[in-house]
Amino acid sequence: MVPAQRRRSVLLPAVLVFAIGSLCWPAFVPPPGKSHATDRAQVTGAAAALAALGALPVHAVDDPLAHGAPGVMDSGEMQNWAERAAFGGLLVSTMLAWWRGTLGSGQAKEEGKPPAFWAMAFANLSLVVLLSNRWLESGHFPLSNMYESLSFLAWGVTAVTLYFTATQNSEAQELSAFDNGKKSQAKNVTSDIAAVWASPVALGIVAFAQFSLPKALQKASALVPALQSNWLVMHVSVVMCSYATLLFGSVLCMAVLALSQPKDSPITAIREALLPALQTVANGLQPQPQPAVAAAMTGTSGLDAGNTAAPRSEVPTQGKRQVAVASTGNVTVEFSSSSGAAVLSEDDQLAITLDDLAYRSLLLGFGFLTIGIVSGAVWANEAWGNYWSWDPKETWALITWLVYAGYLHTRLQLGWDTRESAKIGAFGFLVVWVCYIGVNLMGIGLHSYGFFLK
Amino acid sequence: MSLRAGPRLPLGALGAPGTLGAAGAGARRISAPRPEPNVGSSSTKVAGAGAFGLGLAFAFRRSARSSAPVVRRGTAAAQVGDAETPSNAIEEWLLTLELPTPLKPILGSSAWASFAASLVQMFVVAGLAALGTLIEQGESPAFYAQKYPESSGVLLMLGFDHMYSCPIFLVLLVWLAASLIACTATTQLPLAKRAQRFTFHSSEAMKRRGSFLMRVNCPASEAAEAAEVGTGARLLRLREELQRRGFVVRSDQEANPGQLAASRGLLGKFAPMAVHLALLLSLLGNTVGLVFGASSEVLIEEGGYADVGQVLDGGRRIKGALSNLSPNKGLMDATNVKVEDFRIEYKDDGTIDQFYSKLAIEDAKTNERLYSDEIYVNKPLRYGGATIYQADWGIDRMQMYLNGYPIVVPCKALPVEDGERSWAAFLPLELVAAKDPTTVKQIAKPKEGIVMVLNNMRNVQVYGSDKTLAGVLRSPQAKVEKKMEGMPIQFGEEISVEGSQLRLDRIVGSTGLIVKNDPGVPLVYAGYALLMPATLLSVLPFVQVWAAINKDDQTQILVTGRANRNQLSFEDEVKAAVFSVAN
């Protein structure tokens, strides 16, 4: 079993990296005149991910598009390295998480953190290096333009993912004493799914910052008078943290929605059509396929059981209750749940745990957003002469706040079905992006410093 | 079972009751001497209920579940193990709080105060606010007619050209505030009051009240042999365990309990009310600002001054209907603001680093200097209720020497082109050409002369009478960033134009100030200060646990409980607590 495991963890990511790497080929296109063949050979090497990391900075040196004036200072070089490392780390993390979330999910029973976790941690550290390097270089907190704030956002998303994954894993270990490991496995799978959804978001943000932004906008720029304040650090960093946390929570809501698709929905149909094919591939590559866990991704029913505020009148009959019994010495403890937690299937456990994680991260993000809006209002009262002036950015922050307040109310007070709440949470993803980028794209308002060229 | 985890935080990321230790220690002093209120007689008390006006009838709303066998208000009586769990102090204090009597909903208020209705309101406000960012605000009717030929009529009729001050939006905000009040007074308050009560349940009731039921079976034989492992002793141990986990626990008998009732997270029941209160406070402050406040802008040249009260009366930005009643009105009328100095700091690349204005506040009658400070963007001056912000700038005049004779040349702003602002000055040719400008008494040809153009406070482009660039004058105050040698035109502090020597001594600017008086700011800030902790605290789950020795089977302890969120984690925690006692 051990050799098979090793083979799987090296060979399959390599193949996948090649497959998806060729899909995102434009991102890697070297400057004209370079031989594609040599690069391709490098990227498709056995340890493709690491090779890609090693090879990229090499042609970054003579890349005319590379930003940071070449040869001016070492920090430009450092910047390039950190940038590629962050991108590479997230790419690898996405690959590994997707692999694990679909076909390689048999590994979920392993001890310790999944490899995607470490790849993401690597990307996170690279972003820390990137941003602190910027800070040293420009002498002010690195949140003055689009590139820096996108990098900070990507850092935030990875940090939140790592944090919740780590706590989720430790909770899983704490709980493994109960339930024959059933719930702890749900927790582990939850953190896997979180990585599946959050990695591509972070990857997309980093890719957008590095490949789509005009190079002129990537340069560190001086602060305009209105930004020269200590409030910059306080306000912008808290707001970016809130965006990151809210985005993470919202993609988890999407995951809950995807997981709880009814049987007749097209998404389920596509998934069920694709899974056997993928499973065949997996069977060919790995000696011992685990079809049981693939089914964990297609959880369908029973989400209503996760509704914590279920009407109390619906007391289940005694016959429906399932009793879990544990004993220590002479004392026996019986546990029966009327909310159905004890009789939940594996899929429902998974969906509920996932929803719980989404809910917790959205709570945290909502708190951050509140602090961010308040600090922004106080700053505006110092700099612009009014604490609230219906500036588009302010307005959209308020809209975001209202949308998530709506989500929390449906959870806290209305006791909605998990799916219905998750829809609002998932909608929040869109609102956060409009608030963050959309307002600047419209080119209106007072918050447009250092963003798009006019 | 090897599960002996420490007190688990209900929320991994945010503070749990356990982290409130420091604050709790402070609250403890307040909670101690409170006498126990007489049970169940609070129906006549309307203390504090007057705060919730809104035409709702005052009436006591008895709990629907008042049939429980024993109802006990929380008391501050010392509990076993209380000393080791200081985090309980804050909850013990909350238990002793006498809440105002909830209001009875009238005229269908429960319908529009319901969460579903307020949710719809929130989304409508959010939608209109979003629409306001999509439609250009504050343009002329002709602009809308051109941009939205189909719908401009409807748009202007609804007032969407000034969305955030149009009647529809304001009415919605007022409505939202009203439902905040109604929700707090008719829905949240009874819930909080109910959470303050500890109720013991009969064994039968326990089987159906909670969201789960645990039965701890202690074999009878063993219980007879050693009393300390019997059900009574285990219940005592469960009480300690729950207290260790931050629960406030009440028991039917102190020494030998047969029934326990415990709760944790009362703060989480009170905080949502505080959130609503904070939002109302902010809205109130905003309204006060709109009604009593005023805000205006003024451009003052260096050395000039303006009357603060007069500037505010102009109200070019905001002028509240009752701004004359503002508490600081008298003081502001009696003061002038004088601009002693205005300068712009430039960066090496020529972009503006910061604007600085040295302001002095003087008594309007005696010109006595009362206060002075240098302001810049992000650092306003505050005096006597007025706040003065650095907001704009301009160029007022130039001090120059013409052939050694000092002259002052006024500047005039040119129309803005591509966001670039510029100023220009004109000197008649007769004056420039004269050896001694003081001898020129009359200008015969006012159309001929030299033109000077400025777009910053560092240098001036000088055009001769033939409309060609004669040279660039550099301000002595500007930093010399680069030696300009071999330039095709003259550059420096002194150039010669039309045969005369023109020397620039100083570019004198004018500073654009926003003067504001907003008596609502303290209220708004108080609301904000309350909002932040209350938002964070309102995520604390409120959980209740009941435990009792089964009446029908003395060897069995029944444990049940419920949580208003995080149900699964809560069940896990109670399991862990019970297992540690069962061990």
Side-chain angles (χ1 to χ4, degrees):
Chain A
M1 190 63 196
V2 172
Q5 287 268 354
R6 189 170 297 156
R7 206 180 104 210
R8 196 169 61 194
S9 63
V10 175
L11 185 66
L12 290 178
V15 172
L16 263 174
V17 165
F18 170 64
I20 307 208
S22 46
L23 280 179
C24 344
W25 195 250
F28 286 104
V29 171
K34 279 209 105 186
S35 155
H36 279 226
T38 49
D39 283 351
R40 197 179 283 268
Q42 277 171 339
V43 179
T44 56
L50 289 173
L53 274 180
L56 278 167
V58 175
H59 48 80
V61 175
D62 56 352
D63 184 350
L65 287 177
H67 43 79
V72 171
M73 44 186 149
D74 289 340
S75 51
E77 188 77 3
M78 181 98 134
Q79 175 88 12
N80 282 330
W81 272 95
E83 221 171 54
R84 313 294 183 185
F87 183 80
L90 284 171
L91 186 64
V92 171
S93 153
T94 309
M95 299 304 118
L96 291 176
W98 279 51
W99 168 251
R100 208 175 143 98
T102 51
L103 304 175
S105 47
Q107 289 175 333
K109 289 198 180 76
E110 278 173 29
E111 291 295 313
K113 311 236 183 319
F117 179 89
W118 298 114
M120 194 181 262
F122 174 70
N124 183 278
L125 287 178
S126 312
L127 287 167
V128 170
V129 170
L130 192 151
L131 288 171
S132 18
N133 182 40
R134 282 249 165 177
W135 197 340
L136 278 178
E137 202 179 335
S138 64
H140 58 76
F141 194 65
L143 273 175
S144 61
N145 64 14
M146 191 77 186
Y147 176 80
E148 286 167 1
S149 79
L150 279 169
S151 302
F152 193 88
L153 183 67
W155 176 83
V157 170
T158 53
V160 169
T161 313
L162 293 175
Y163 171 75
F164 280 108
T165 309
T167 53
Q168 203 77 0
N169 276 342
S170 65
E171 276 174 24
Q173 274 165 13
E174 193 179 312
L175 285 172
S176 57
F178 290 114
D179 306 321
N180 306 320
K182 187 168 119 192
K183 196 174 286 173
S184 65
Q185 203 195 331
K187 293 237 175 202
N188 268 334
V189 176
T190 306
S191 48
D192 283 350
I193 293 178
V196 163
W197 287 78
S199 300
V201 172
L203 180 68
I205 295 169
V206 168
F208 177 65
Q210 295 182 7
F211 301 117
S212 293
L213 272 190
K215 298 294 160 185
L217 285 182
Q218 296 189 8
K219 287 208 185 92
S221 53
L223 293 179
V224 300
L227 288 184
Q228 294 170 18
S229 167
N230 290 333
W231 283 105
L232 176 71
V233 181
M234 164 74 193
H235 170 63
V236 186
S237 60
V238 170
V239 168
M240 295 313 295
C241 283
S242 84
Y243 287 166
T245 323
L246 291 173
L247 286 179
F248 176 73
S250 286
V251 292
L252 287 187
C253 283
M254 291 182 193
V256 170
L257 285 179
L259 207 67
S260 57
Q261 284 301 315
K263 279 258 187 283
D264 53 351
S265 88
I267 295 178
T268 317
I270 292 169
R271 193 166 48 201
E272 277 171 2
L274 278 179
L275 261 180
L278 288 170
Q279 204 60 51
T280 321
V281 178
N283 290 352
L285 294 168
Q286 73 189 62
Q288 289 189 331
Q290 311 242 358
V293 194
M297 291 294 288
T298 57
T300 45
S301 61
L303 265 187
D304 308 46
N307 178 357
T308 50
R312 302 224 155 58
S313 55
E314 288 175 27
V315 178
T317 56
Q318 203 68 22
K320 265 190 183 171
R321 292 191 174 185
Q322 202 179 48
V323 180
V325 182
S327 60
T328 62
N330 290 322
V331 181
T332 56
V333 178
E334 295 168 26
F335 180 86
S336 59
S337 173
S338 55
S339 74
V343 291
L344 281 184
S345 71
E346 203 168 300
D347 302 350
D348 301 337
Q349 285 274 5
L350 183 59
I352 290 172
T353 331
L354 199 59
D355 184 64
D356 182 52
L357 188 61
Y359 172 59
R360 276 165 45 190
S361 53
L362 287 182
L363 276 175
L364 182 65
F366 187 72
F368 276 143
L369 187 63
T370 309
I371 297 174
I373 291 177
V374 167
S375 64
V378 174
W379 185 11
N381 197 31
E382 295 292 302
W384 294 338
N386 205 353
Y387 52 86
W388 196 266
S389 47
W390 293 106
D391 174 71
K393 197 80 159 185
E394 277 174 6
T395 309
W396 273 98
L398 179 70
I399 293 167
T400 314
W401 194 85
L402 285 173
V403 166
Y404 284 105
Y407 170 84
L408 295 181
H409 274 89
T410 61
R411 286 295 306 257
L412 300 182
Q413 317 292 356
L414 286 182
W416 273 15
D417 184 288
T418 324
R419 249 167 311 182
E420 301 300 313
S421 294
K423 274 177 198 161
I424 299 183
F427 173 66
F429 186 79
L430 211 73
V431 179
V432 170
W433 276 113
V434 171
C435 178
Y436 176 45
I437 303 254
V439 174
N440 297 94
L441 273 176
M442 287 187 254
I444 42 176
L446 295 163
H447 273 89
S448 52
Y449 331 97
F451 279 69
F452 294 90
L453 292 171
K454 282 192 180 166
Chain B
M1 282 296 151
S2 62
L3 202 126
R4 275 201 172 271
R8 264 162 47 78
L9 305 182
L11 238 146
L14 299 166
T19 60
L20 293 165
R28 170 184 279 283
R29 262 175 280 122
I30 313 167
S31 70
R34 188 108 187 192
E36 181 171 355
N38 30 354
V39 177
S41 70
S42 56
S43 57
T44 52
K45 291 186 182 169
V46 287
F52 304 104
L54 209 75
L56 293 171
F58 297 101
F60 179 66
R61 228 173 127 214
R62 194 168 282 276
S63 164
R65 297 211 178 89
S66 54
S67 57
V70 189
V71 177
R72 233 194 218 197
R73 272 299 292 271
T75 70
Q79 290 289 316
V80 185
D82 209 25
E84 300 94 71
T85 53
S87 64
N88 283 2
I90 225 171
E91 302 217 343
E92 292 280 6
W93 175 66
L94 286 176
L95 281 171
T96 62
L97 265 187
E98 190 79 20
L99 288 177
T101 308
L103 306 177
K104 193 176 179 182
I106 53 154
L107 292 176
S109 66
S110 60
W112 56 263
S114 74
F115 290 111
S118 35
L119 204 67
V120 172
Q121 281 173 23
M122 265 156 62
F123 276 93
V124 171
V125 169
L128 281 183
L131 198 62
T133 64
L134 296 177
I135 300 173
E136 293 79 356
Q137 299 287 296
E139 302 283 346
S140 66
F143 173 88
Y144 294 104
Q146 194 210 340
K147 179 117 193 234
Y148 308 99
E150 306 283 311
S151 52
S152 68
V154 182
L155 208 136
L156 290 173
M157 193 186 73
L158 293 173
F160 285 179
D161 56 326
H162 52 279
M163 177 68 81
Y164 306 112
S165 54
C166 79
I168 294 179
F169 195 74
L170 293 182
V171 165
L172 264 171
L173 281 185
V174 170
W175 189 11
L176 201 61
S179 42
L180 275 178
I181 295 174
C183 167
T184 313
T186 65
T187 312
Q188 288 183 315
L189 210 53
L191 288 176
K193 268 179 117 74
R194 197 179 304 158
Q196 277 183 325
R197 272 184 225 116
F198 283 94
T199 314
F200 296 113
H201 293 311
S202 67
S203 302
E204 262 320 299
M206 278 182 66
K207 286 175 190 165
R208 51 191 164 74
R209 284 303 292 277
S211 64
F212 64 89
L213 181 70
M214 292 177 89
R215 297 162 190 268
V216 185
N217 299 305
C218 312
S221 57
E222 201 186 320
E225 282 165 24
E228 63 266 23
V229 291
T231 45
R234 285 193 198 281
L235 209 55
L236 270 175
R237 275 168 61 190
L238 184 63
R239 187 169 75 183
E240 278 168 36
E241 175 67 19
L242 287 174
Q243 275 169 349
R244 198 174 64 75
R245 286 170 183 269
F247 282 84
V248 173
V249 191
R250 298 279 181 272
S251 34
D252 57 346
Q253 296 162 45
E254 206 49 54
N256 188 22
Q259 285 184 316
L260 298 181
S263 78
R264 185 182 64 195
L266 202 56
L267 216 51
K269 278 274 178 192
F270 280 69
M273 287 194 287
V275 170
H276 286 188
L277 202 68
L279 289 173
L280 287 170
L281 216 56
S282 301
L283 279 173
L284 181 70
N286 207 331
T287 314
V288 168
L290 283 177
V291 174
F292 295 100
S295 170
S296 191
E297 50 205 12
V298 61
L299 197 70
I300 309 174
E301 74 283 359
E302 194 180 309
Y305 68 91
D307 183 290
V308 177
Q310 268 175 13
V311 169
L312 280 174
D313 279 344
R316 287 172 61 191
R317 285 161 60 89
I318 302 162
K319 186 155 161 59
L322 300 175
S323 56
N324 283 332
L325 299 178
S326 171
N328 313 107
K329 180 72 178 147
L331 187 56
M332 289 182 301
D333 279 343
T335 48
N336 286 344
V337 56
K338 186 177 180 204
V339 179
E340 300 193 320
D341 182 48
F342 171 70
R343 68 195 158 91
I344 300 178
E345 298 266 299
Y346 287 92
K347 292 198 191 84
D348 288 345
D349 62 352
T351 54
I352 290 168
D353 184 39
Q354 190 58 277
F355 309 91
Y356 297 91
S357 299
K358 205 171 254 172
L359 303 182
I361 302 290
E362 294 178 345
D363 190 298
K365 291 206 178 74
T366 62
N367 281 359
E368 185 196 347
R369 195 179 157 110
L370 301 169
Y371 183 73
S372 80
D373 200 3
E374 186 173 62
I375 66 165
Y376 49 87
V377 181
N378 274 315
K379 183 180 172 279
L381 176 148
R382 293 195 164 84
Y383 185 83
T387 315
I388 302 176
Y389 299 88
Q390 178 71 57
D392 198 7
W393 67 286
I395 289 170
D396 184 59
R397 60 190 186 266
M398 284 181 286
Q399 295 171 4
M400 317 183 94
Y401 289 97
L402 185 57
N403 291 331
Y405 293 91
I407 56 169
V408 172
V409 187
C411 298
K412 200 169 183 295
L414 297 177
V416 177
E417 258 177 54
D418 297 332
E420 181 97 356
R421 304 203 302 173
S422 45
W423 291 260
F426 177 80
L427 274 182
L429 187 61
E430 288 161 68
L431 193 74
V432 177
K435 272 279 162 245
D436 179 357
T438 52
T439 60
V440 179
K441 298 290 177 220
Q442 205 176 356
I443 305 293
K445 289 180 274 183
K447 296 255 160 146
E448 275 180 41
I450 64 167
V451 173
M452 289 172 281
V453 178
L454 311 84
N455 48 24
N456 54 45
M457 283 180 72
R458 301 201 302 169
N459 44 46
V460 185
Q461 298 158 41
V462 183
Y463 294 86
S465 53
D466 53 353
K467 297 195 170 65
T468 58
L469 186 64
V472 175
L473 275 171
R474 184 171 61 76
S475 165
Q477 283 81 31
K479 273 189 287 179
V480 185
E481 70 272 16
K482 236 183 252 176
K483 272 269 177 276
M484 299 278 220
E485 280 180 11
M487 278 180 57
I489 51 159
Q490 307 178 69
F491 180 79
E493 285 171 33
E494 183 164 343
I495 60 171
S496 71
V497 190
E498 308 288 342
S500 294
Q501 290 299 311
L502 195 60
R503 186 151 73 83
L504 180 62
D505 178 43
R506 184 145 197 266
I507 301 172
V508 180
S510 49
T511 180
L513 302 176
I514 290 180
V515 183
K516 189 187 78 165
N517 168 45
D518 189 346
V521 166
L523 282 173
V524 174
Y525 276 18
Y528 287 166
L530 185 59
L531 182 64
M532 289 187 284
T535 311
L536 292 178
L537 286 176
S538 57
V539 309
L540 292 177
F542 177 70
V543 296
Q544 290 166 293
V545 172
W546 297 276
I549 299 170
N550 194 345
K551 285 250 164 51
D552 312 322
D553 177 4
Q554 292 290 326
T555 64
Q556 192 177 55
I557 299 175
L558 298 174
V559 182
T560 181
R562 63 173 182 228
N564 65 348
R565 62 195 79 131
N566 276 11
Q567 181 74 32
L568 289 183
S569 310
F570 167 62
E571 286 175 12
D572 293 340
E573 186 184 1
V574 177
K575 273 187 206 167
V578 169
F579 273 114
S580 74
V581 171
N583 257 327

